[in-house]
Amino acid sequence: MSKSILFLGATGGVGFSALQRSLAAGHSCTALCRTPSTLSDNIPAEVDQKLLRIEQGNAHDVDAVLRALLPSPSSPRQGLPDVIVFSIGAYFNLSKMGMDDAHVCENGIKTVLAALQKARTEHNLQGKPRIVALSSTGVSDFGRDVPLLFVPLYHVGLKVPHKDKKAMEDALVESEEEWTIVRPSLFVDGAKDGPKREIRAGKEDPIKGVVESKAVGYTISREDVGRWIFENLIEGEKAGEWLRRMAAITY
């Protein structure tokens, strides 16, 4: 069954990986991009262009996100998208010796929540999209999900981006939306071709404050995080098992 999916952060590794797979499977996708050509120039020629709608705008702009949430005039969709894949992030700024935006994820997800509210109240759009938000291991309140060797790196070297990820998670958990938070282990570059690597996933219920299963590992590629999101949260028959759950994924 074809789904409608909104991508915020589709030009990056994880979002682009999930987007490519969604288009190949025949899903109707919308991507919000500050520079649309950054995405359109990299879409394979064989993709059905009718399946992809690219909106120009910033994910921190409520009106831009609202515009991407609304159905296009030619779309058969009547309500909100089925899924929102949220994978925006900040880059390390050498001149600042820190992140170029220390609140990029927190402010971004608050923008999404505000835009959803506006779509319902001002445009009477119905539906409750599953928000799939990209976070990180190392921010759990209920158990260690990283190897001991990584603890100093995560709690010192990555303190600022992880604080941002945690604020994003808290905003989602406190909302009334449907969501799944994906916490990948440390990113590595991986070949996009070749045999699939096994991906393990631990599951945490932050509402009850329990770790239902653990998967502690060192690394995973951005490409495979996108694959896991597509296979388990967009098309997965057991996607419901991940509703309002954190998924710690690793090789």
Side-chain angles (χ1 to χ4, degrees):
M1 180 180 173
S2 177
K3 293 182 178 179
S4 57
I5 311 166
L6 170 59
F7 286 86
L8 304 173
T11 57
V14 173
F16 188 64
S17 172
L19 172 64
Q20 283 187 296
R21 288 173 165 81
S22 299
L23 290 170
H27 298 298
S28 176
C29 301
T30 299
L32 180 67
C33 306
R34 283 180 293 184
T35 308
S37 60
T38 305
L39 178 60
S40 59
D41 290 351
N42 291 299
I43 295 295
E46 62 271 18
V47 167
D48 184 351
Q49 297 300 316
K50 293 180 181 179
L51 293 175
L52 178 61
R53 166 189 161 209
I54 302 178
E55 285 283 344
Q56 195 280 329
N58 192 312
H60 286 167
D61 180 343
V62 173
D63 288 334
V65 176
L66 174 63
R67 195 168 60 248
L69 285 169
L70 297 175
S72 68
S74 61
S75 173
R77 173 165 65 90
Q78 299 297 314
L80 291 165
D82 298 306
V83 182
I84 299 172
V85 178
F86 179 91
S87 58
I88 69 171
Y91 293 97
F92 187 81
N93 189 318
L94 285 174
S95 64
K96 297 179 181 178
M97 289 305 295
M99 307 306 292
D100 59 2
D101 184 346
H103 303 280
V104 60
C105 296
E106 177 187 6
N107 291 338
I109 206 65
K110 288 180 177 178
T111 301
V112 171
L113 296 174
L116 283 169
Q117 179 67 13
K118 202 169 183 179
R120 292 176 178 126
T121 57
E122 296 185 8
H123 297 270
N124 199 31
L125 258 64
Q126 304 299 310
K128 212 162 195 180
R130 166 82 65 96
I131 302 173
V132 177
L134 188 68
S135 185
S136 171
T137 51
V139 298
S140 173
D141 289 329
F142 309 110
R144 178 173 58 83
D145 56 5
V146 298
L148 281 172
L149 184 65
F150 278 7
V151 171
L153 168 66
Y154 275 55
H155 288 218
V156 180
L158 297 176
K159 182 178 180 179
V160 172
H162 280 188
K163 184 179 179 181
D164 181 37
K165 295 290 191 185
K166 187 65 172 62
M168 175 197 71
E169 291 189 359
D170 290 345
L172 271 178
V173 172
E174 293 166 7
S175 76
E176 296 182 357
E177 302 295 338
E178 295 187 349
W179 48 263
T180 299
I181 293 170
V182 180
R183 292 171 168 169
S185 51
L186 192 66
F187 281 139
V188 293
D189 291 328
K192 295 185 178 181
D193 299 316
K196 290 183 179 180
R197 294 190 63 177
E198 179 187 357
I199 299 173
R200 297 180 293 119
K203 186 184 294 182
E204 180 179 297
D205 182 343
I207 308 299
K208 295 181 179 179
V210 296
V211 177
E212 298 176 344
S213 62
K214 293 191 74 172
V216 177
Y218 288 89
T219 61
I220 193 168
S221 73
R222 294 174 177 82
E223 173 75 11
D224 278 341
V225 176
R227 171 167 68 89
W228 190 89
I229 288 172
F230 171 74
E231 293 177 348
N232 293 274
L233 304 179
I234 293 176
E235 286 216 324
E237 294 181 359
K238 297 182 179 180
E241 295 180 5
W242 294 100
L243 184 62
R244 296 180 178 272
R245 297 292 191 277
M246 315 291 197
I249 62 173
T250 187
Y251 290 138

